[in-house]
Amino acid sequence: MLQVPNAVHLRTFRASRAGASGASLPQLPTQHRELQHLLKQARFSSELIRRRFQALAERRVVAPIPTGYHRAQATAAYRNRELQLPLSPPAQFFRDLLPPGQLTQAESLTFSVIDTVARMELADAVVVLDAVLGGRVPGHRALAAQDFAPWLDFLGPQRMKDRWDQLIAFADGAAESVGESWSRAVMHTLGFPAPILQANFQLPRGDTARTDFYWPDFGLVGEFDGRMKYSRSRVLSGLDPGEVVFQEKLREEALSELGLRVVRWVWDDLKSPQQLANRLLRAGLPQTDRTGSLR
């Protein structure tokens, strides 16, 4: 997701109990990149990470109604355990962050995704699904579309099922970051042709360049430049920021020698989609469909 949730979501089988209540569990860091930083720094202890968290509110949400049930029938079936939510211990990383005895059970990742993604905005949904399919959720393997099959009846109305089908077809585990997934969603909404992700090119100097986005019909390479590449370059690549910039310049020149053009964009362009559209249009990428089919 593009925003850290502002509450821990707990299940209830009574609609009258749904809603927010008081503080509950430690909060995730307020900035997404902070969490990514913590996840990648294995040398930080769980206790140190926990100190970065603050109190989160609880929000109770009603258990979903599967196909073939009415609300009253589903409530009775949950109480009688004819219907059961898939519960298991959360991933070890998250268990380590919690005070002893808290949150010993959590819904499975597949069920949680089924129950939320179809209601999300397009960019949020693509960020989640790309990460899930690409194996970028801590403590979980990469999932495939068929892994969600046991829970499809919990999607609800047909419009939600149709949206799920569209989203899972659009999702691509080859996207390697939130920025790349968000870029795909914005480009689709703007009506630009879909790119190839993580294309490899043999460069004249002998090494290989892997690009974020590639449009072969237009000889165009697209690169999303996140701040982390430069601000945390010593951790990620062992190079100082100036050396990273210089290497990127050499890489872009080498791609140009292959007859490719390179267009770059940053977070601000994703927040203001017309800025991204202008960059892509100036680079020669046409808007083939000004209203992307998936919204």
Side-chain angles (χ1 to χ4, degrees):
M1 292 181 290
L2 304 179
Q3 303 262 343
V4 174
N6 59 6
V8 174
H9 291 78
L10 305 175
R11 287 295 185 190
T12 180
F13 302 126
R14 298 180 184 177
S16 60
R17 297 183 63 187
S21 61
S24 174
L25 299 174
Q27 185 179 8
L28 296 176
T30 55
Q31 297 295 324
H32 178 271
R33 62 178 179 272
E34 275 190 79
L35 178 58
Q36 293 301 309
H37 172 75
L38 295 173
L39 291 173
K40 290 179 179 179
Q41 298 307 296
R43 68 177 182 273
F44 287 145
S45 68
S46 299
E47 183 60 34
L48 179 59
I49 296 174
R50 190 184 294 124
R51 291 194 206 114
R52 302 282 294 277
F53 286 30
Q54 299 172 343
L56 257 183
E58 288 181 357
R59 180 173 296 277
R60 294 186 178 275
V61 292
V62 179
I65 304 174
T67 301
Y69 286 81
H70 298 296
R71 169 57 64 191
Q73 292 174 317
T75 299
Y78 279 122
R79 288 176 177 168
N80 298 334
R81 295 187 177 276
E82 296 171 20
L83 284 176
Q84 295 188 50
L85 301 179
L87 299 176
S88 61
Q92 184 64 48
F93 173 85
F94 295 104
R95 292 204 299 275
D96 289 344
L97 297 179
L98 301 173
Q102 280 196 282
L103 193 64
T104 57
Q105 296 279 294
E107 291 175 8
S108 70
L109 178 61
T110 49
F111 187 83
S112 297
V113 169
I114 280 281
D115 189 43
T116 56
V117 161
R119 294 194 295 272
M120 291 179 178
E121 296 291 330
L122 177 60
D124 289 297
V126 173
V127 166
V128 171
L129 285 176
D130 283 359
V132 167
L133 298 185
R136 292 190 284 112
V137 178
H140 296 274
R141 64 174 177 85
L143 299 178
Q146 58 265 30
D147 290 313
F148 300 96
W151 311 113
L152 294 179
D153 283 344
F154 287 82
L155 278 166
Q158 186 61 45
R159 61 183 175 79
M160 301 297 281
K161 295 175 181 176
D162 292 343
R163 180 163 172 76
W164 168 263
D165 289 342
Q166 292 177 317
L167 288 169
I168 197 68
F170 184 80
D172 193 333
E176 294 184 338
S177 70
V178 171
E180 291 181 22
S181 296
W182 191 2
S183 296
R184 295 202 315 115
V186 173
M187 288 188 289
H188 174 82
T189 301
L190 291 169
F192 287 101
I196 295 172
L197 304 185
Q198 317 308 332
N200 289 304
F201 296 92
Q202 190 69 37
L203 301 179
R205 61 192 184 189
D207 55 344
T208 300
R210 185 172 64 170
T211 59
D212 296 340
F213 307 97
Y214 174 47
W215 292 271
D217 291 345
F218 305 97
L220 183 65
V221 162
E223 295 282 274
F224 169 74
D225 280 337
R227 293 175 184 169
M228 196 175 294
K229 180 191 296 185
Y230 306 103
S231 64
R232 296 188 55 238
S233 59
R234 288 193 182 279
V235 174
L236 299 175
S237 63
L239 303 174
D240 63 50
E243 182 64 21
V244 171
V245 172
F246 180 66
Q247 291 298 328
E248 285 291 308
K249 180 177 182 296
L250 293 179
R251 179 173 174 272
E252 187 167 327
E253 289 176 352
L255 288 169
S256 297
E257 291 179 32
L258 297 178
L260 299 169
R261 288 169 289 113
V262 179
V263 57
R264 296 179 177 276
W265 60 90
V266 296
W267 289 110
D268 286 346
D269 297 314
L270 300 181
K271 296 173 184 176
S272 301
Q274 190 55 48
Q275 290 182 196
L276 177 59
N278 292 340
R279 286 183 184 273
L280 296 175
L281 289 169
R282 286 196 298 268
L285 191 66
Q287 282 179 290
T288 55
D289 177 3
R290 290 186 178 273
T291 55
S293 58
L294 181 58
R295 311 296 289 183

